[in-house]
Amino acid sequence: MLDPNSMARNDRWAATATIAALTLLCLLLPTQNSTLDAWYYAACVRYGHELLLPHHLLYNAAGWLWVEALKAIGILADTLTALKALNTLAAGACLLLLRQLFRLLLPQKPVWPWLLVAGASFGMLRFATENEAYLPPVALSLLASSSWALFQGQPQRLWYVFGAGFWAALACLFHQIHFFWWLGLLLGTGWYASAKLRSLVLFALPALLVPGAYAAALGYWHLPLSLESLWRFVFHDYYAGTAANGISGHGLLLSVVNLGRTFVQVHGSTLALLRLYPGLLLAVALVIGLLGYAATALWRAWKNRTAAASGQQPSPVRAAFLRTHLLILGLHFLFAVSAAGNAEFMAMLPVLLALVLGVAEQWLPTRGVGAAGLALLAWNLAFGLVPANRLRFADNARLLTLIQQEPHSWFLLDNHNLVLNQLYYETGQAQPPGNVLPAPTLLVKRAGQSPARLRGWLHTQLQAGHRVFTTGLGGPQLLDRAQVVYGNQNAELLRGFRTEKVDSFPTAFGPLYLTEIR
C-alpha cells in the first residue's frame, strides 16, 4: 500500500521540478524576435520616458525599478533582455501561486500535471520570454484568488477578503483587462459571502487605489486634474481604437484561431520551419505519441469516471471557487472576442482553464494530463521558443542605419511600427522620423487615403527628386494576422512604377528585399 506521506512528498518534488524546469527554459530561451510593443516599452524604460501608460499604468514603472535595481547591484544588462527576464520570473510566480491554489482546494491531488499544462501552453511561454505586460498582472490576480479562497474557508478572517480586493485592484493597475478578474471576484463575494454587505465593502475598498493612481498620473502627463481628463486618460486606448473593436464575423474567426494559439503555437512559420528543418518531424511524431497516450488514458478514465466520482461531492468552498472562476474565465474570453480575438487578451486563460478543469473534473488521470502537458511543451519548444530564440525572422540593423543616413528618402515598410520602435530604442528619440511610413497596402487604408492618392503622392515625391523605398515587394510571405486582416496588394498598388531591388536583408525564411520605386 502506498504511503500517503510519501505520495505527497513525491508530488511536492514533482511540482517544484516542473516550475523550476519551465522557468529555467524560459530564462535560457528569450525571444530574439521581439514585438513592436516590446521594443517600445523597453525604450520607455531605457530612457525613462512614458513610464505611466494608461492601459497598463504600472508596468513600465515596475520595469524601470527592476532595471535600476539590477544596475545598483552591478548587473548592467541590456534593458530589453532584463525586462524579458522579469517576465520569466512573473511566469514562475504564476506557477507557484497556481500550485498554492491547488493545495488549498485539493490538498491530496497531484498538481504537477496541471502546472505543466498551464506552464507549457504557448500563451504562457510566449509572454514569459518577451517584454509584454500580460504576466505580472496574472500573478497578482492569482494572489487575489488565493486570498479569496482562504476567505471562503475562513469567512471570519476579514483581512482575506480585503487582501483579495487589494491584489485584484493592483492587477488592474498593471493591466486594465484584469478588471474582469476583479469583477468576477466581486460578484462571487456578493453571492457566496455570509455577511454580504460587509464583505463587499471590504473587497471593493482597495479598488479606490485605481482612480487614485490614475489621478496622480495626470500630473506626470501634465494634464489638468478634472473628471473629463481622468476619464479620457483611463480610457485612452479605447478612444484611440486600439483596445476593443467590437464583435464581428472576422473577429469570431480570429477568436477561435487565437484561442487555439493560446495553447499551441500555430503560425505561418510552422510549415516553413518544417521545410527548412525536416528533423522537426521527429518532434511532431513525439507529440502524436504523447497525445495518443493521453487520449488512451483519458478514455479509460472517462469510462470509469462515475465510479471514481461517487461520493465525492464538492465542498462549498470548492463549489464557490469553481463557479466564480468559471465566470472569470468567461468574462475574459468574451472581452478578447470583443477585441477582434486579440491573442494577448487571452494570456490568463491557461491558468484559469487549468484551475477550472483541475477542480471540476477530478476524474481526469494524472498521467493523461501530464502526457498532454508534455505534448504541449514539445510542440511549443520545437515551433515556438527554440526558433524564436535561435533564428532571425527579421534583421533590421542595416535598414535602421539606412533610414538615419537618408532622412530625405521615403521608406514604405511592411512593419513600420516595429522599425520605428527599434529606432527609438537605439537612439532615444521618441519623436519618430517622418520619412518612415507603412507599406502601400496599409497606407491606403489610412483615413482620407486611396490608391489614386497614393499614386499621385508617389509621382510628386519622385518628381521632387526624393527616393522612395519599400520592403513590401518580394521576400518571405508568411501567413500571419496582418496577412489575414489586410492581405497584400503592394504589387497591384505600385503597378505602373518601375521597381528595382537595391538591397536585401537576411532572415531565417529567405532574404527581405529593399526595393526602390522609380
Side-chain angles (χ1 to χ4, degrees):
M1 186 174 178
L2 292 175
D3 178 12
N5 292 329
S6 176
M7 291 175 64
R9 194 160 50 247
N10 290 340
D11 179 60
R12 282 197 297 272
W13 277 108
T16 302
T18 300
I19 296 170
L22 289 170
T23 304
L24 182 61
L25 273 175
C26 292
L27 279 172
L28 294 174
L29 296 172
T31 181
Q32 301 302 318
N33 298 275
S34 287
T35 63
L36 61 95
D37 284 342
W39 284 101
Y40 178 68
Y41 304 151
C44 291
V45 170
R46 187 177 195 178
Y47 301 109
H49 301 165
E50 300 189 1
L51 295 180
L52 300 175
L53 293 171
H55 202 46
H56 31 81
L57 191 72
L58 297 184
Y59 178 75
N60 279 357
W64 183 84
L65 289 172
W66 165 253
V67 172
E68 291 302 308
L70 291 179
K71 291 178 183 176
I73 60 174
I75 301 176
L76 302 177
D78 170 69
T79 301
L80 181 57
T81 301
L83 293 171
K84 292 174 190 174
L86 178 61
N87 277 277
T88 299
L89 296 178
C94 288
L95 296 177
L96 284 169
L97 291 163
L98 189 60
R99 179 180 67 174
Q100 177 183 331
L101 271 167
F102 272 115
R103 286 184 175 170
L104 282 172
L105 298 165
L106 299 166
Q108 303 305 316
K109 184 181 179 69
V111 302
W112 70 265
W114 293 107
L115 297 177
L116 183 59
V117 166
S121 296
F122 186 62
M124 180 71 79
L125 294 175
R126 172 190 177 188
F127 296 119
T129 54
E130 180 59 290
N131 175 34
E132 291 273 10
Y134 299 104
L135 291 187
V138 173
L140 293 168
S141 287
L142 286 169
L143 264 175
S145 289
S146 297
S147 190
W148 194 86
L150 287 168
F151 173 68
Q152 293 304 307
Q154 304 174 71
Q156 73 279 8
R157 300 192 174 184
L158 296 176
W159 58 83
Y160 284 144
V161 72
F162 181 85
F166 172 79
W167 294 118
L170 189 59
C172 294
L173 289 175
F174 274 81
H175 205 294
Q176 290 178 348
I177 55 173
H178 281 260
F179 165 77
F180 297 102
W181 201 308
W182 178 90
L183 178 62
L185 291 178
L186 177 73
L187 294 173
T189 301
W191 187 262
Y192 291 109
S194 52
K196 296 187 185 304
L197 181 59
R198 181 175 61 181
S199 299
L200 282 170
V201 169
L202 285 171
F203 180 86
L205 191 60
L208 293 174
L209 285 170
V210 177
Y214 274 93
L218 292 178
Y220 176 84
W221 288 96
H222 307 292
L223 295 171
L225 184 59
S226 67
L227 284 177
E228 181 182 3
S229 290
L230 181 62
W231 181 269
R232 294 194 70 85
F233 179 64
V234 170
F235 297 106
H236 171 273
D237 285 36
Y238 301 94
Y239 282 112
T242 57
N245 304 93
I247 297 176
S248 65
H250 192 77
L252 289 172
L253 174 62
L254 285 173
S255 298
V256 173
V257 171
N258 284 330
L259 178 61
R261 286 194 68 227
T262 298
F263 296 91
V264 178
Q265 164 65 325
V266 179
H267 190 265
S269 63
T270 305
L271 290 177
L273 285 168
L274 281 170
R275 285 194 295 268
L276 281 172
Y277 304 103
L280 286 173
L281 288 171
L282 294 174
V284 175
L286 174 63
V287 169
I288 292 172
L290 287 167
L291 289 178
Y293 178 86
T296 302
L298 290 172
W299 174 247
R300 289 174 179 166
W302 170 263
K303 290 192 296 183
N304 299 323
R305 71 191 185 284
T306 304
S310 60
Q312 291 186 8
Q313 292 298 320
S315 69
V317 171
R318 286 205 300 269
F321 186 92
L322 175 62
R323 292 166 188 156
T324 299
H325 285 75
L326 190 59
L327 171 64
I328 294 169
L329 176 64
L331 288 172
H332 273 291
F333 180 67
L334 286 175
F335 181 72
V337 172
S338 77
N342 193 327
E344 285 83 357
F345 291 174
M346 301 184 192
M348 71 295 297
L349 296 190
V351 294
L352 282 169
L353 195 61
L355 271 175
V356 168
L357 284 178
V359 173
E361 306 296 340
Q362 295 182 47
W363 60 269
L364 289 168
T366 296
R367 290 184 179 180
V369 175
L374 285 173
L376 285 176
L377 182 61
W379 180 277
N380 291 327
L381 280 175
F383 294 99
L385 261 64
V386 173
N389 174 263
R390 305 302 299 173
L391 304 178
R392 283 285 184 180
F393 302 156
D395 189 349
N396 293 326
R398 280 162 56 192
L399 183 58
L400 297 178
T401 301
L402 191 60
I403 290 169
Q404 295 175 80
Q405 288 174 346
E406 299 208 23
H408 301 296
S409 297
W410 293 96
F411 294 85
L412 311 184
L413 306 180
D414 270 330
N415 197 340
H416 78 294
N417 282 323
L418 173 63
V419 173
L420 288 175
N421 290 343
Q422 289 175 330
L423 273 173
Y424 179 17
Y425 185 80
E426 293 298 330
T427 66
Q429 300 298 315
Q431 185 64 33
N435 62 330
V436 178
L437 297 172
T441 298
L442 296 179
L443 197 54
V444 298
K445 296 184 183 298
R446 285 187 168 183
Q449 295 298 320
S450 67
R453 287 194 173 187
L454 170 65
R455 293 187 182 99
W457 177 82
L458 284 171
H459 282 298
T460 300
Q461 298 305 317
L462 294 173
Q463 288 169 4
H466 297 297
R467 302 178 76 186
V468 182
F469 301 94
T470 184
T471 57
L473 297 173
Q477 295 295 321
L478 301 178
L479 185 65
D480 57 14
R481 180 186 174 95
Q483 290 281 349
V484 171
V485 174
Y486 302 112
N488 187 342
Q489 291 88 42
N490 293 330
E492 178 66 26
L493 290 167
L494 296 174
R495 183 177 295 175
F497 293 91
R498 278 197 312 117
T499 58
E500 180 183 350
K501 294 182 176 69
V502 295
D503 204 346
S504 64
F505 314 113
T507 77
F509 304 114
L512 178 69
Y513 296 105
L514 185 68
T515 301
E516 185 168 3
I517 303 167
R518 294 173 176 170

